[in-house]
Amino acid sequence: MNRTRTLLGALGTLVLLACLPLLALPVPGVLPGYTYEPGSLQLLALCWLTAALALSYHLLFGLAGLMSFGHALYFAAGTYGLAIVLDRTDVPLLPAAALVLVGGIALAFVVGAVSLRVTGISFAMVTLAFAQAGNVLVRRDQGDLTGGEEGLALATAGVPDALVGVVNTRNLYWLALAVLVLVYLVVLWIERSRAGHMAAAVRENEVRVRIIGGRPYLTKLVVFVLAASLATVVGMAYLLLQSGASPATSTADFTLTLLVMVVLGGVGSRWGAVVGAVLYTVLDQRLAELAHSDAVAGLPAVLRIPLSEPMFLLGTCFILVVIFLPGGLAGAAERLAARRRPVPEGAAA
Amino acid sequence: MSTLILLLATGLGLGGLYFLVASGLSLIYGLMGVLNFAHGSFLTLGAFVGLAAGNLVGAGTWGGLLLGLVVGALTGAAAATATELGLIRPLYDRHIEQVLVTVGLSLATVALFEGIWGPNPRNVTRPGWLASTTDVLGARVPNTAFLNVLAGAVVLGGIVAFLRYTRYGLIIRAGVENRAMVTALGIDVRRAFTLVFAVGGAAAGLGGVLATQSLNYVSPHMGASLLIFAFIVTVIGGMGSLTGAAVASVVVAVLQQLANFYLNNTGDLIVVLLLALVLLVRPSGLLGRPA
Amino acid sequence: MSGPNVLEVRGLSARIAGQEVVHDVSFEVPAAGVTAVLGRNGVGKTSTLRAVLGLVERSGEVLLDGVRVDGERTDRIVRRGVGYVPEDREVFAGLTVAENLRLAHRAGPGGTTAEHRALVDALFPDLATRAAQRAGTLSGGQQQMVSLARALLNDNRILLVDEPTKGLAPRIVGEVAEALAAAARTVPILLVEQNLQVVERLADRVVVIDAGRVVHTGPARDLLDDADLLQRLLGVHAETEAAR
Ligand SMILES: Nc1ncnc2c1ncn2[C@@H]1O[C@H](COP(=O)(O)OP(=O)(O)OP(=O)(O)O)[C@@H](O)[C@H]1O
Ligand SMILES: [Mg+2]
C-alpha cells in the first residue's frame, strides 16, 4: 500500500519534470526565466546530470565506504573520450559512446585494481594522484588531442541534429533527465543486488566479510568499476549538453565538489545525493550571480570579498553541515519526520 | 654531465619543498589518523602573509626575506592551531568527518584567498643572489635550490631533535605507535595533537614563503598544487613515517626533474607511475609499518 | 581488610564496534588486597577493565573512592590514581625501556615518588641494565616487567592488571606473581588472571564473568575449593589444575 503510493508519487514527479519544457512556469529565485526557456532548461539539465554523477559517487562513498578523491577522472574520460572520438573519427554518436564506455571501464579497472591495494586515507590519496595524472594529460594537450586549457568543442558532424544547438535544448533536457533516471535505477539495482549487500558489509566490517568467506577486494573493485562507468556515461551526456569538454571537470576540486554534494544530502542516502547535487548546482549558479550584483559591490570589503566567492560560502556551509548536521539533509529530514510522527498510544495525554 | 648535476640539484631543492609540506602531513596522519586537506592553505596563507611582512622591511632584501620566513612559519602555525582547536578537536576520533572538514576548509580558504589577493599569480621581488645561479662543476644551479635544501634539512633536523629530546616528542612518538596506551598512562594526548598541527603548519608556512622564491610568484593555488605531490610523497614514504617522507621527497622530486628533461616533460606522470609501482610492491610504502 | 571500597562498578556496559560485549556488570574492589576477575576466553574481562578506564564506549557508573568518574576522559581517570597493565603488555616497541618508563612518570600528588622508583628498581633490576634497549626487542617476560613497572612507578590508588602471566614461561610466571604480591602490600589490585595457581597465591576475592555478565562473587578460597563450581563457572577440572 505504502510502496505503491511512493511509486506513484515518484512517477508523478517524473512526469511533471518531463513536462517542464512544455510548460511556462516561473520559479523565481531558482530559474532565470520560465521553465520552457533554454536558459532554464539548461540549468535544470545541468542539475539532473550533476545529480546522476553524485549518485555514482554515492555508490562509492555511501554504499561501499570508499572515499575516492579521483572520481572526476572517469567523468572526464566520458567527456573528453567522446569529444576526441567525435572530433577525430567519423564514427557516429552511439557506437562512439559504446567505445568510450569500454575505454572508461578499462581505465577504472586498472586504476581501481592498483588503488584498492590500500585502504582508507591512503586510498583517497592514491585515487587523487591518478586523477591528477589525468588532469595533467588533459591540460598538456599532447598531440593536440584535448585542446589544453581551452578545452575541446563538440564536433557535431556525428551527432544527430536533434541534439545540437540552443533550439534543441529541450531534447538535451530530456536526455539529461533520462540519464538521471537510468543512473538512479542502476544504482538502486546494484544496492539491492548481492554485490551491493556485500559492499555494504565490507563498509561495515571488512574483516568479518573475509571470515565468512567473502572477497572484499573483489567486491570493492566491482563497485569501483560500476561507479566509474556510470560517471563515464554521465560525462558523455555532459559533453552533449555543454557542447564541449573543459579541463575544470578533470580536477581534484571537481571530485571534492561531488563529495560536498553527497555529504550535504546525507551520506548513504540516494535521495540525499540527488537533492544535494541539485541544491549545490542551483546555489552555485545563484551565488555566482549574487557575487556580481550591485548590492554586493556596494558593501565594505570585509563583507564584499566573502560574499563574492561562491566557493567560500559553499565550503563554509559544508563545514557547518559536517559539524552540526550529521547525516546531512536526509538525516535532518528523517529526524523531522520522526518528530512529526504520531505520538505512541501510551504517551498520549 | 653538467645537465645531470643541474637536474639533481634542482631535484634536491624541490624535494626540500615537498618535505616541508609532507613532514606535517605525515606527522599529523601518524599521530591522529587525520588526512589534512587544508595543509595547502596553511602554506598559501603563510606565503602571502610572510611576503607582506617582508615587504614592510623591503621587498628583495635579505632582512625582508628573513622576516618573511619567520612570519610565514608563525602564520602557518597559527592557522593550523586554530584549525585543530576549532574544527578537528570537536570531531575527536571521527576521522571521516575530520577529513571532510579539512576538505571544506581548503575549498573555502582558496576561494577566500582568490577574493582577497586575486586569482592570478603575482610576481615577487627576490634578493639578487636568490635570483641568480651558482656554478657547480659546470652546472648553473639556481641559488634557490641551496636555500630549499638547507631549509628542508634544518626542518628535518629540528623535528627529529624535537621528537627525540623533548617530552612532547616522546609523547608524539609513543602516540604514533599506540595512542590509547598513551592516554592510559594519564597523558592528555590532545595537547600533542595541537602541537603536531602547529609544527606541521609552521613547516608548511615556511615552505610557502620559500616556494615563492623558487617559483618567483605567489598565487592562491600554489598550496593545492604542492599538496598533491606532498600526498604522493607521504604515501610512497609510508603514511606516518617522517624519514620515509624525507627519502620519498627527494626520490620523487629528482625523478620528476629527470623525467621532465629526458622524457619529454613527463615528470608528473612518472611520479604517479612510481606511486602505482610502490603500491603494487609494498602497499605500506617504503618505510611504513605493514598494516 | 574491610573498609570503604576503592572502586565500585555499577551497571557497567561496554560496546565494541557497535556491539555490546559487557552487560550490566556490577562489583566492588576493597581498599586492600587482590580482587581477581575470572572467566573463560572472550567473556569480556578485558573489555570490563577497558570500560572502567573509558577506553571503550560504555554506560553505567564507575566510582573511584566514592567519586563518579564515568564521565571523564581516560587520562583524567588515570591521573586520579589508576595504574593500568594491559593485556599483551602494550609496551611502546619503538621506544627504549627508559623512554617507556619516562613516559609513565606522573608529577604531583599520586605521581611518581622516590619510594616507588626504589620499589621498581628492586623488583626489576634487569630494567636498569637494559635502559637503552628498544622495548620491542625485549623478551615477553621482560616486556611484562616494563609494563608492570610503568604502573608501579606512581602512587596509585588502584592497579588494573590484565593477564600478566599470559604466554610466559613457568619460571617467569613466578617472578611476575612475586612482583604483584609485593605491589599488593601497598596498593589494591584488580587482577584478570587465567592461571589458577597465580589466583590462589594472590587473590583474596574473585569476580567471575561469563558472557559479559557477573555470575559469581565471593572469597577466592570458596571458589577454588569447590570443584563443582569451578567446573561450572570456568570449565576447568580442579584435579588437573591441582596436578600441574
Ligand atoms: N576489536 C574488537 N572488535 C570486535 N570484537 C571485539 C573486539 N575486541 C573484543 N571483541 C569481542 O568482545 C568480546 C569480549 O572480549 P574481551 O577481550 O573483553 O574478552 P576477554 O574475557 O578478555 O578474553 P580473553 O580471556 O581471551 O582475554 C569477545 O567476544 C570479543 O570477540
Ligand atoms: Mg582479555
Side-chain angles (χ1 to χ4, degrees):
Chain A
M1 188 65 208
N2 212 345
R3 254 188 90 173
T4 32
R5 254 205 355 238
T6 323
L7 203 62
L8 282 178
L11 272 177
T13 314
L14 194 58
V15 169
L16 177 70
L17 291 180
C19 290
L20 282 185
L22 309 172
L23 302 172
L25 302 173
V27 190
V30 178
L31 295 179
Y34 289 107
T35 46
Y36 70 89
E37 288 175 30
S40 303
L41 289 178
Q42 177 82 16
L43 174 58
L44 285 171
L46 187 62
C47 284
W48 306 153
L49 288 185
T50 314
L53 188 58
L55 271 174
S56 74
Y57 192 76
H58 152 81
L59 210 52
L60 273 182
F61 186 48
L63 178 66
L66 294 170
M67 185 156 55
S68 163
F69 283 164
H71 202 53
L73 182 61
Y74 312 100
F75 181 76
T79 53
Y80 274 98
L82 188 59
I84 291 171
V85 172
L86 290 176
D87 188 31
R88 292 294 165 113
T89 69
D90 297 330
V91 183
L93 181 62
L94 280 181
L99 196 70
V100 171
L101 181 58
V102 171
I105 291 174
L107 176 68
F109 183 80
V110 172
V111 174
V114 173
S115 318
L116 285 167
R117 286 179 57 81
V118 287
T119 55
I121 300 298
S122 304
F123 173 78
M125 292 195 193
V126 173
T127 49
L128 174 69
F130 278 110
Q132 188 62 22
N135 181 244
V136 168
L137 275 179
V138 161
R139 308 236 307 255
R140 180 161 300 158
D141 195 16
Q142 214 104 33
D144 265 351
L145 267 183
T146 58
E149 300 290 345
E150 302 296 309
L152 191 55
L154 175 66
T156 49
V159 183
D161 289 341
L163 292 176
V164 180
V166 178
V167 285
N168 287 315
T169 305
R170 65 159 85 159
N171 293 340
L172 289 166
Y173 171 89
W174 281 318
L175 175 72
L177 190 59
V179 167
L180 174 58
V181 172
L182 173 82
V183 170
Y184 188 91
L185 292 178
V186 171
V187 168
L188 185 68
W189 172 69
I190 293 171
E191 281 187 27
R192 302 249 166 107
S193 73
R194 240 182 74 78
H197 291 299
M198 196 64 113
V202 169
R203 179 192 66 212
E204 291 307 326
N205 194 334
E206 190 166 333
V207 179
R208 196 181 302 160
V209 170
R210 199 169 294 132
I211 289 169
I212 62 171
R215 286 193 283 181
Y217 177 81
L218 208 62
T219 309
K220 289 192 281 188
L221 186 57
V222 167
V223 173
F224 188 91
V225 172
L226 284 171
S229 4
L230 289 179
T232 305
V233 170
V234 179
M236 292 191 280
Y238 187 87
L239 171 75
L240 296 176
L241 179 67
Q242 304 287 58
S243 344
S246 126
T249 55
S250 68
T251 58
D253 277 5
F254 190 69
T255 304
L256 295 186
T257 57
L258 289 180
L259 184 64
V260 169
M261 293 170 201
V262 169
V263 173
L264 274 182
V267 179
S269 155
R270 275 189 309 277
W271 281 114
V274 172
V275 172
V278 171
L279 186 69
Y280 182 97
T281 311
V282 171
L283 272 180
D284 193 33
Q285 293 262 337
R286 293 287 100 184
L287 288 175
E289 228 147 272
L290 173 77
H292 296 114
S293 68
D294 295 336
V296 167
L299 291 172
V302 265
L303 288 176
R304 191 189 68 236
I305 290 173
L307 284 180
S308 53
E309 292 294 334
M311 209 54 220
F312 173 77
L313 299 173
L314 286 167
T316 309
C317 241
F318 174 70
I319 293 175
L320 295 176
V321 166
V322 171
I323 295 183
F324 297 110
L325 206 63
L329 295 175
E334 224 163 78
R335 282 194 293 274
L336 215 61
R339 210 176 300 163
R340 283 247 210 90
R341 224 165 271 152
V343 196
E345 300 91 82
Chain B
M1 182 61 199
S2 67
T3 315
L4 189 63
I5 290 174
L6 175 65
L7 292 173
L8 288 178
T10 50
L12 275 172
L14 186 60
L17 282 185
Y18 286 169
F19 177 73
L20 289 178
V21 187
S23 55
L25 282 180
S26 193
L27 271 179
I28 291 171
Y29 180 82
L31 182 65
M32 308 170 62
V34 175
L35 170 66
N36 180 23
F37 232 86
H39 213 69
S41 292
F42 302 160
L43 181 146
T44 310
L45 188 65
F48 274 108
V49 176
L51 281 187
N55 287 348
L56 291 182
V57 174
T61 63
W62 281 104
L65 179 60
L66 205 64
L67 180 69
L69 289 173
V70 172
V71 171
L74 289 178
T75 306
T81 307
T83 303
E84 203 280 327
L85 291 177
L87 298 178
I88 304 294
R89 184 173 284 198
L91 296 169
Y92 186 78
D93 245 357
R94 287 160 55 193
H95 295 318
I96 298 286
E97 279 88 344
Q98 288 176 328
V99 176
L100 293 179
V101 160
T102 64
V103 165
L105 187 63
S106 90
L107 292 174
T109 47
V110 171
L112 191 63
F113 298 156
E114 280 190 4
I116 299 173
W117 290 295
N120 298 318
R122 297 177 178 193
N123 283 345
V124 298
T125 318
R126 301 182 281 187
W129 183 77
L130 275 182
S132 68
T133 58
T134 298
D135 195 292
V136 180
L137 302 172
R140 292 163 59 87
V141 177
N143 288 335
T144 48
F146 300 112
L147 184 62
N148 291 342
V149 171
L150 179 72
V154 167
V155 167
L156 175 62
I159 295 181
V160 166
F162 168 72
L163 288 179
R164 189 164 299 164
Y165 299 115
T166 66
R167 171 142 181 102
Y168 269 110
L170 184 61
I171 292 173
I172 291 168
R173 277 186 293 145
V176 168
E177 247 188 65
N178 184 346
R179 214 169 70 201
M181 195 57 220
V182 173
T183 65
L185 290 177
I187 296 163
D188 182 2
V189 79
R190 298 180 312 167
R191 271 193 231 151
F193 290 177
T194 314
L195 196 64
V196 161
F197 252 81
V199 169
L206 187 71
V209 178
L210 284 173
T212 63
Q213 304 298 301
S214 305
L215 299 169
N216 204 13
Y217 67 75
V218 55
S219 115
H221 302 281
M222 56 192 288
S225 43
L226 272 171
L227 186 67
I228 289 180
F229 289 106
F231 280 162
I232 294 176
V233 161
T234 337
V235 177
I236 289 181
M239 303 280 292
S241 161
L242 192 71
T243 359
V247 173
S249 294
V250 172
V251 170
V252 165
V254 168
L255 194 69
Q256 212 172 1
Q257 295 294 321
L258 292 176
N260 275 342
F261 186 83
Y262 290 113
L263 296 175
N264 189 20
N265 247 344
T266 51
D268 297 358
L269 303 178
I270 293 287
V271 165
V272 174
L273 277 186
L274 174 70
L275 173 72
L277 191 76
V278 169
L279 286 179
L280 286 172
V281 181
R282 256 186 87 90
S284 56
L286 294 180
L287 296 176
R289 281 166 295 161
Chain C
M1 251 325 287
S2 58
N5 295 317
V6 60
L7 179 72
E8 284 181 43
V9 172
R10 297 181 193 148
L12 185 70
S13 298
R15 303 174 71 83
I16 295 177
Q19 207 163 346
E20 194 171 290
V21 294
V22 172
H23 322 283
D24 196 18
V25 159
S26 302
F27 61 88
E28 292 98 49
V29 180
V34 174
T35 304
V37 177
L38 307 181
R40 286 178 252 233
N41 285 117
V43 297
K45 306 181 294 292
T46 298
S47 304
T48 303
L49 292 200
R50 292 175 66 85
V52 167
L53 282 167
L55 285 168
V56 296
E57 210 187 315
R58 62 179 169 183
S59 60
E61 295 183 11
V62 177
L63 290 92
L64 195 65
D65 289 320
V67 179
R68 286 277 297 267
V69 299
D70 41 81
E72 294 188 356
R73 292 195 316 266
T74 300
D75 58 285
R76 293 291 314 269
I77 298 176
V78 169
R79 284 203 299 277
R80 283 175 177 275
V82 181
Y84 180 45
V85 182
E87 189 172 14
D88 301 321
R89 352 218 190 272
E90 298 200 31
V91 296
F92 298 102
L95 272 50
T96 64
V97 170
E99 285 174 334
N100 266 278
L101 298 184
R102 189 137 44 91
L103 204 58
H105 274 217
R106 294 206 306 265
T112 311
T113 69
E115 291 138 60
H116 287 83
R117 263 185 233 225
L119 175 71
V120 167
D121 285 343
L123 285 175
F124 313 119
D126 240 16
L127 296 186
T129 58
R130 296 185 178 275
Q133 190 174 339
R134 272 176 192 251
T137 62
L138 295 173
S139 73
Q142 290 163 336
Q143 288 188 8
Q144 190 62 63
M145 307 292 173
V146 173
S147 193
L148 278 167
R150 285 192 309 203
L152 294 177
L153 271 174
N154 296 300
D155 189 15
N156 284 311
R157 299 286 305 138
I158 182 173
L159 299 186
L160 310 183
V161 184
D162 198 347
E163 297 205 36
T165 65
K166 186 175 167 186
L168 299 183
R171 189 177 54 81
I172 315 287
V173 169
E175 276 178 40
V176 168
E178 192 84 37
L180 285 169
R185 283 193 279 277
T186 61
V187 59
I189 300 178
L190 181 63
L191 172 72
V192 174
E193 183 55 74
Q194 302 261 34
N195 184 328
L196 287 186
Q197 282 176 314
V198 175
V199 173
E200 184 162 27
R201 168 152 179 216
L202 295 172
D204 305 292
R205 293 163 24 89
V206 293
V207 175
V208 183
I209 297 186
D210 197 10
R213 293 173 203 283
V214 172
V215 291
H216 173 91
T217 42
R221 229 12 315 138
D222 293 2
L223 175 68
L224 293 171
D225 288 345
D226 190 335
D228 281 348
L229 199 58
L230 272 181
Q231 162 67 19
R232 194 155 50 77
L233 294 177
L234 301 173
V236 291
H237 298 281
E239 307 88 77
T240 52
E241 196 50 50
R244 281 200 350 206

